[in-house]
């Protein structure tokens, strides 16, 4: 059973906490991690890039010059893709880049991502993070005391607007609630800073 240090909000180590072996000590499946992360990144793409074909470009209603006798290649429209200001051949059109990954595969991948953080020593468990008002300095100070310098994903058991707003002002730092935990966010942040209540919530869902 994995065991990690438990810190308070001042960054002091106050004990240790045992983590669920099935959730935080699973075998890391890198191939599945890649598949799920790519799927989530693809689903976040806007897919709004669009170009006009020769049928959609304005103009080109008449033949630009006669078929024979000019010494030039024959053309039927000035909006052909090979003409300046012509349409685009095989250009992008609005589309959905996302693809569905099975739910069981997503669960296994999330366990792999969490286990990788524990294996690499990139997880910090805090007993609680309580703030009366949004203050970026509080989160910055906490991360510094926890020796977190590569960015962090702060996971709370419940949605906390004060923590969310405080973390939002910092580059490479994001705050989410436990139910929104996902592979892409875990892998794209250097460290995982999670409250003790959030650990229990994650183990309840994935265990």
């Amino acid at each position: 059973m994995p065991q990690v240090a438990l810190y308070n909000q001042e960054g002091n180590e106050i004990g240790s906490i045992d983590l669920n072996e099935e959730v935080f000590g699973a075998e890391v499946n890198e191939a599945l991690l890649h598949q799920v992360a790519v799927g989530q990144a693809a689903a976040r793409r806007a897919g709004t890039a669009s170009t006009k074909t020769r049928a959609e470009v304005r103009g080109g209603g008449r033949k630009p010059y006669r078929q024979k006798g000019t010494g030039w290649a024959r053309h039927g429209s000035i909006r052909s893709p090979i003409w300046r200001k012509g349409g685009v051949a095989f250009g992008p059109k609005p589309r959905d880049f996302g693809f569905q990954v099975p739910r069981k595969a997503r669960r296994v991948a999330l366990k792999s991502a969490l286990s990788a953080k524990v294996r690499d020593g990139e997880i910090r468990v805090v007993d609680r993070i309580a703030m009366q008002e949004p203050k970026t300095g509080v989160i910055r100070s906490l991360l510094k005391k926890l020796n977190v310098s590569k960015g962090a994903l702060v996971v709370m058991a419940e949605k906390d607007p004060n923590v969310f707003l405080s973390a939002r002002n910092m580059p490479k730092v994001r705050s989410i609630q436990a139910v929104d935990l996902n592979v892409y966010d875990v892998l794209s942040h250097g460290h995982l800073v999670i409250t003790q209540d959030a650990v229990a919530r994650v183990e309840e869902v994935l265990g």
Side-chain angles (χ1 to χ4, degrees):
M1 180 176 292
Q3 188 178 75
V4 297
L6 178 65
Y7 299 88
N8 59 17
Q9 191 167 338
E10 286 68 41
N12 301 318
E13 186 174 340
I14 57 175
S16 60
I17 180 174
D18 293 327
L19 302 177
N20 189 314
E21 177 77 25
E22 183 180 349
V23 178
F24 292 94
E27 180 180 354
V28 179
N29 189 330
E30 295 184 359
L32 188 57
L33 277 176
H34 178 267
Q35 179 184 359
V36 174
V38 169
Q40 291 181 349
R44 297 185 182 193
R45 294 182 64 176
T48 55
S50 181
T51 54
K52 291 183 178 181
T53 66
R54 62 182 296 167
E56 298 168 323
V57 178
R58 182 182 178 88
R62 70 177 180 88
K63 190 173 175 66
Y65 46 81
R66 66 179 186 269
Q67 179 80 353
K68 303 175 71 68
T70 64
W72 296 351
R74 53 197 170 208
H75 286 287
S77 172
I78 61 172
R79 292 302 175 247
S80 167
I82 64 176
W83 279 62
R84 181 173 175 267
K85 296 185 179 180
V88 177
F90 310 114
K93 285 292 185 181
R95 55 169 291 196
D96 180 10
F97 287 91
F99 59 90
Q100 188 66 31
V101 178
R103 182 175 60 89
K104 289 185 178 180
R106 295 198 304 269
R107 287 172 61 90
V108 173
L110 183 54
K111 292 179 182 179
S112 291
L114 295 173
S115 300
K117 289 297 182 185
V118 174
R119 179 196 64 187
D120 299 337
E122 295 177 342
I123 185 172
R124 303 288 188 272
V125 181
V126 185
D127 61 347
R128 67 187 184 94
I129 301 177
M131 301 177 62
Q132 299 301 321
E133 58 181 339
K135 280 190 177 296
T136 302
V138 174
I139 299 297
R140 181 182 291 110
S141 176
L142 174 61
L143 296 182
K144 184 176 181 180
K145 292 175 181 177
L146 294 176
N147 195 27
V148 173
S149 58
K150 298 186 297 182
L153 180 66
V154 182
V155 185
M156 306 290 293
E158 302 291 344
K159 186 175 182 180
D160 190 325
N162 291 331
V163 176
F164 173 79
L165 293 174
S166 301
R168 186 178 63 176
N169 291 330
M170 301 178 61
K172 300 181 181 180
V173 177
R174 187 184 180 203
S175 174
I176 62 174
Q177 53 184 343
V179 294
D180 296 328
L181 196 62
N182 62 87
V183 172
Y184 184 86
D185 282 334
V186 172
L187 296 182
S188 60
H189 292 82
H191 285 82
L192 184 68
V193 178
I194 183 170
T195 64
Q196 193 170 3
D197 290 342
V199 169
R201 184 66 59 84
V202 171
E203 291 179 343
E204 179 184 351
V205 174
L206 297 179

